[in-house]
Amino acid sequence: MIKNLLPFFQKKNILFSLLIICLILATLFFVSFSKAEKKQKNHTKTDLSNKIKKTSEKAHAFFDAGKYDSAYFYFNKTQLLCDPKEDYADAYVGSLNYIVEILQRYGNFYEAEATLIKAFPYLDKTSSKKYAINAYTFMAFNYFYTYNNEKALYYHRKALKTAISTFRKARILSEIAFVYVQQKKFQEAKDILEPISKCKIADKITPSNTNLVRSGILYNLALSYIGLGNHKEQALKCLDESLELTIPYNNDFELIANYFGYYLYYSKYYNPELKKFYAEKSYHAAKRAKSAGNEIDRLADLLKMDKAEKAKKYWEIYTRKNDSLYLSRKTAKNQFADVIYDSKKDKEENFELKNQKAERELQLQRQKNRSYISYVVISLSLFIILFLIFYITTKGKREKNDIILKSEMRISQKLHNELNSNIYETLLFVQDHNLENQDNKEKLLDSLNNIYSKTRNISRENSKVPTDERYLAILKEMISEYKTKDVNIILNGFDSVFWSKIDKNKKIILYRILQELLFNMKKSNSSSLVSIIVKEINKNLLISYTDNSNEIISENNILEKRLQNVENRIETIKGTFNFDSNSESGFKISFKFPI
C-alpha cells in the first residue's frame, strides 16, 4: 500500500495542496476558538461594582465595631465577588489586606501569609500605591510577629520604596527603626529616627493620624536612646512629648506603650519608685483598654519588683488572667476557624454555580470547538505521517544508493589499480610466448594465481567480518595470507585476549586496521619481518605493529596519507594512535582503544 502511495506524494504540488488544506482547517479552528473565548469573557465581565461596594461597606462597619468574625466573613465575600480580579483590583487587594489584619489579631500568621501572597500579583493593577504599601507592611508585621526580623525589614523596605508621600515614608521608617530596636541595633534606629523627628510631617489625607504617627516616632527614638545609654535627657524629652501627643486621643491602648517607655527609662536610670509608678500606670491602662496580653505582661513586671505581700496579690491576679486569656483565645480561635471554614465553603459553592451557568451557555460552542480540534488533529496527523513515510523512505533509498555507488567506485578503482597491469602483462605473455612450453605454462599459471589472490583479497576486504567465536581464527587467517617465503610474521598475545567481551564494531575496525597495515607492508615490498603484539592493559587493548621496511614517514609521503585512514578508524572507537617517524630500524606504530 505504501509503495502505491509513494508516486502520488512525489508530486510537489500535491504536498503543497495538502499543506494548504491543513492550514485552512487550523485557521478556522483558531477563529472559532477565539470567538468562544471572547464570549466567555463577556459572560463573566458582568458589572459587580454595586454588589462589591455594598458588601465592602458591611465589612468595614463590622470591622469598625470590633466584630472581626463578621468583618472577616464580608471581606472574604467581597474578594470572592472580584472575578476577574483585574477589573476590581482595589476591592480585591483591599479586602485581602483587612482579612490579613484580622488574621494577625487572632494570631493566625500562617493563614495571613497565604492570604497576602494571593494579593501580590494584583498590586500593580490597583489605582493607588496605598494598597501595595499596606500589603508589604502587613507582610512585614507577619514576619515580625513570627520572629523573622530580616524578612520583616525586607518587606518594610519594599513598602518604603513604593511609598510616595513624605508622611507614609516617615511612618514606614519608624516601623523599620522599631525592628532595629528589637534587634538591639540602637544606633541604626537612632540614625533613622533623629532626622524625621526634627520635621513635623502632616498626613494630608487623614490629619488625625499626624500626631499619632509622630508620637510613635518619638517613642521609638526614646527606646533607641535608652538602649544606647548616655542619652538620658534626650530619652526623657522624647517620652514626654510622645505622651503629650497621645493624651488628647484618650486612647488607653496607645497609653500602654507610653507608660511602658517610662518604665524602661527608670529601669535604665535606676529610680525604683518611678519605675514602679509607671509599671502600675501601664498596667491600669492595659486593664482599661481590655488588652489582656498587655495586662498580663505588665503584671509580670510588677511581680518582679513588689514585696511579698503585694506579690502574692499580683500573682493571683496574674494566674487568673493568664488562664482566662488562654481560654478566651482558644474559644475565639475555634469560632474564627468556623468562620474561615464557612467562608471557604461559600467560595466553593459560588464558584460551582458560576461554572454551571457558564457551561450551559457555552456547551454548544465547546462541542463545535472539539469538532474543529478533531478535524485539525486528524488532518495534521495524516499529513505528518504520510510526509514522514515519504521522506524517510526516499532518504533511505538515496543514502543506500550513495553508499552502493561509493562502494562500487572504490572497488572498481582498487581493481583497476591493482589488477590492470597484471592482466595486461599476462595477455602480452600469452601473445608472445608458446604455451606448449612447460616453463611458459608454469609462468602463466603463476601469473593467473597472482591475479586470483589479489582479487580474493579485494573481495575479503569488502566482505562481512564474522565477530562470533570464529573471529580469532579468521583474523589469524587474514594475517597469514600476507606471510610468504620472504616475509615472516610473528604474532604475540592474541590467544590471551578474551575476544568475546570486546564490542563487535571494535573487532571489525581492528580487523580492517591490521589488514590495511599489512597491505601497505606488502605494497612497499621492503619488509622481511613483521611483529604484531596484543596486550590487555587497564581495560584497554594495546596493539603494537613493527616491520623492518625502509619506508620513511614524512609530511608529504604517500605512506603518511595512507595512515590517515588508519587514524580515522581508530578515532571512531575513541582510541589513540602513535607512530615512530624517527625510527632507524623500520616502521613502528602502536594504538589502543577501550574494551
Side-chain angles (χ1 to χ4, degrees):
M1 181 180 176
I2 294 171
K3 289 182 178 180
N4 295 332
L5 286 171
L6 286 176
F8 177 76
F9 283 103
Q10 285 174 352
K11 296 179 181 180
K12 292 183 180 178
N13 59 333
I14 300 297
L15 284 174
F16 182 74
S17 301
L18 187 56
L19 181 61
I20 292 296
I21 292 168
C22 291
L23 288 173
I24 291 169
L25 287 172
T27 305
L28 288 172
F29 162 70
F30 284 119
V31 168
S32 177
F33 186 75
S34 62
K35 284 180 180 177
E37 287 290 310
K38 189 175 180 181
K39 186 176 179 181
Q40 189 172 6
K41 285 181 180 178
N42 290 335
H43 171 77
T44 55
K45 284 189 177 181
T46 53
D47 188 11
L48 296 170
S49 302
N50 292 331
K51 195 171 183 180
I52 289 170
K53 185 180 177 182
K54 288 179 181 179
T55 310
S56 180
E57 286 173 354
K58 281 184 181 179
H60 280 94
F62 282 119
F63 185 86
D64 294 338
K67 296 179 180 179
Y68 299 117
D69 51 353
S70 300
Y72 180 95
F73 178 82
Y74 282 102
F75 278 126
N76 190 61
K77 199 167 184 179
T78 302
Q79 65 95 7
L80 290 176
L81 288 169
C82 301
D83 185 24
K85 299 169 184 66
E86 293 90 339
D87 294 343
Y88 310 103
D90 289 359
Y92 181 70
V93 175
S95 298
L96 290 177
N97 282 339
Y98 274 103
I99 288 170
V100 168
E101 187 173 353
I102 295 168
L103 288 167
Q104 287 177 349
R105 283 176 181 267
Y106 282 90
N108 196 342
F109 302 116
Y110 297 104
E111 183 80 20
E113 183 178 357
T115 304
L116 267 176
I117 288 169
K118 291 194 294 183
F120 280 2
Y122 304 97
L123 297 181
D124 293 337
K125 297 178 175 65
T126 54
S127 61
S128 174
K129 296 285 185 183
K130 69 177 182 180
Y131 296 102
I133 295 167
N134 290 339
Y136 293 140
T137 302
F138 281 127
M139 186 63 88
F141 288 158
N142 217 63
Y143 280 114
F144 177 77
Y145 294 142
T146 53
Y147 308 102
N148 191 338
N149 289 326
E150 292 302 322
K151 276 289 186 82
L153 287 172
Y154 171 78
Y155 280 101
H156 274 315
R157 288 177 186 131
K158 281 182 76 72
L160 182 64
K161 190 176 179 181
T162 309
I164 297 173
S165 71
T166 309
F167 179 80
R168 284 186 181 276
K169 287 183 178 181
R171 189 184 68 183
I172 296 165
L173 285 169
S174 178
E175 298 291 350
I176 291 171
F178 184 71
V179 177
Y180 281 142
V181 168
Q182 305 312 308
Q183 292 180 317
K184 300 191 183 302
K185 296 179 179 179
F186 303 113
Q187 186 61 47
E188 287 89 336
K190 172 179 168 290
D191 293 341
I192 291 172
L193 293 166
E194 275 188 342
I196 59 175
S197 68
K198 293 174 184 177
C199 308
K200 293 187 177 181
I201 306 164
D203 186 353
K204 295 177 181 178
I205 299 172
T206 313
S208 59
N209 288 337
T210 301
N211 287 339
L212 274 178
V213 171
R214 177 162 178 79
S215 174
I217 291 169
L218 292 168
Y219 172 76
N220 291 337
L221 182 57
L223 294 182
S224 64
Y225 282 145
I226 293 167
L228 285 169
N230 300 323
H231 293 78
K232 186 175 180 181
E233 292 180 4
Q234 295 99 314
L236 185 58
K237 184 181 177 182
C238 288
L239 287 172
D240 289 341
E241 189 178 344
S242 176
L243 180 61
E244 187 181 341
L245 291 168
T246 307
I247 286 173
Y249 288 92
N250 197 24
N251 188 329
D252 287 313
F253 191 83
E254 296 291 338
L255 287 171
I256 297 168
N258 286 110
Y259 293 138
F260 181 67
Y262 283 107
Y263 165 76
L264 292 175
Y265 176 83
Y266 289 114
S267 297
K268 178 78 173 181
Y269 302 104
Y270 190 70
N271 189 328
E273 292 181 3
L274 289 175
K275 175 184 174 183
K276 182 181 177 183
F277 173 75
Y278 283 106
E280 287 178 341
K281 285 185 76 69
S282 183
Y283 164 68
H284 290 300
K287 195 173 179 182
R288 289 193 302 271
K290 296 181 180 179
S291 176
N294 282 301
E295 189 177 348
I296 289 170
D297 290 339
R298 300 295 76 80
L299 277 169
D301 295 333
L302 288 168
L303 280 169
K304 293 176 187 175
M305 66 182 86
D306 264 321
K307 295 179 181 178
E309 308 87 53
K310 276 200 172 183
K312 185 178 180 182
K313 174 188 170 184
Y314 284 133
W315 176 252
E316 290 174 358
I317 299 169
Y318 176 82
T319 307
R320 188 174 68 255
K321 289 281 182 184
N322 201 26
D323 291 343
S324 176
L325 178 64
Y326 173 77
L327 183 62
S328 63
R329 280 184 174 175
K330 187 177 180 182
T331 306
K333 278 190 175 182
N334 290 338
Q335 289 174 349
F336 195 64
D338 290 338
V339 173
I340 294 174
Y341 174 77
D342 291 339
S343 298
K344 287 181 178 178
K345 190 176 178 182
D346 183 57
K347 176 183 176 181
E348 291 171 1
E349 289 174 356
N350 287 342
F351 185 70
E352 188 178 352
L353 288 171
K354 286 180 183 178
N355 280 346
Q356 287 175 359
K357 188 177 179 181
E359 283 176 7
R360 280 197 300 271
E361 291 185 3
L362 297 173
Q363 188 174 10
L364 182 61
Q365 189 63 41
R366 284 176 178 174
Q367 190 173 357
K368 289 181 180 179
N369 289 343
R370 285 195 291 270
S371 300
Y372 282 124
I373 291 170
S374 301
Y375 296 148
V376 171
V377 169
I378 292 169
S379 301
L380 286 174
S381 301
L382 182 62
F383 172 77
I384 291 168
I385 290 168
L386 293 174
F387 180 78
L388 285 173
I389 292 170
F390 168 75
Y391 176 76
I392 292 168
T393 306
T394 52
K395 185 181 177 183
K397 283 186 176 181
R398 187 169 61 251
E399 288 177 352
K400 187 177 179 181
N401 290 335
D402 289 343
I403 291 168
I404 292 169
L405 181 61
K406 286 178 183 178
S407 180
E408 288 176 350
M409 291 293 291
R410 181 171 53 79
I411 295 168
S412 175
Q413 186 67 32
K414 196 158 190 175
L415 286 169
H416 179 270
N417 293 340
E418 296 190 19
L419 299 178
N420 187 46
S421 59
N422 295 87
I423 293 171
Y424 181 70
E425 288 172 3
T426 303
L427 290 173
L428 287 177
F429 182 82
V430 170
Q431 288 177 1
D432 297 339
H433 294 80
N434 183 11
L435 297 181
E436 296 295 331
N437 188 300
Q438 189 64 32
D439 291 336
N440 290 339
K441 281 185 180 181
E442 292 279 341
K443 288 180 181 180
L444 177 61
L445 288 172
D446 288 340
S447 179
L448 291 171
N449 186 54
N450 186 32
I451 292 169
Y452 169 73
S453 296
K454 286 186 177 182
T455 307
R456 186 184 62 180
N457 288 338
I458 292 170
S459 174
R460 286 191 174 182
E461 284 175 16
N462 296 281
S463 62
K464 185 179 179 182
V465 178
T467 57
D468 52 14
E469 65 275 359
R470 298 174 294 158
Y471 176 75
L472 181 59
I474 290 168
L475 180 63
K476 285 183 176 180
E477 183 184 348
M478 180 274 293
I479 294 170
S480 67
E481 288 175 359
Y482 291 93
K483 187 175 181 181
T484 63
K485 61 180 181 179
D486 298 320
V487 179
N488 188 23
I489 300 175
I490 301 171
L491 303 179
N492 191 354
F494 279 74
D495 294 323
S496 62
V497 176
F498 290 99
W499 295 100
S500 59
K501 67 179 181 180
I502 299 175
D503 182 67
K504 292 181 180 180
N505 188 43
K506 292 179 180 179
K507 288 182 188 178
I508 294 169
I509 289 173
L510 174 61
Y511 182 96
R512 296 299 183 199
I513 289 170
L514 292 177
Q515 191 177 44
E516 194 152 351
L517 290 171
L518 290 167
F519 176 78
N520 288 332
M521 177 274 299
K522 187 174 182 180
K523 201 164 188 179
S524 68
N525 200 23
S526 60
S527 301
S528 60
L529 182 64
V530 177
S531 171
I532 304 174
I533 301 171
V534 180
K535 292 180 182 177
E536 187 178 338
I537 303 173
N538 297 329
K539 295 184 179 180
N540 285 285
L541 198 66
L542 176 65
I543 298 95
S544 300
Y545 173 90
T546 308
D547 65 39
N548 61 351
S549 65
N550 54 15
E551 280 197 307
I552 299 172
I553 300 174
S554 64
E555 189 175 346
N556 298 318
N557 200 307
I558 296 172
L559 185 58
E560 172 79 11
K561 295 174 183 177
R562 289 176 191 162
L563 290 175
Q564 185 65 48
N565 190 34
V566 173
E567 187 173 3
N568 291 339
R569 288 181 187 272
I570 293 168
E571 286 177 357
T572 60
I573 55 174
K574 299 180 180 179
T576 56
F577 171 84
N578 293 296
F579 61 84
D580 187 358
S581 59
N582 298 317
S583 176
E584 296 178 358
S585 58
F587 173 71
K588 293 182 180 179
I589 181 173
S590 65
F591 59 93
K592 67 178 181 178
F593 58 85
I595 296 175

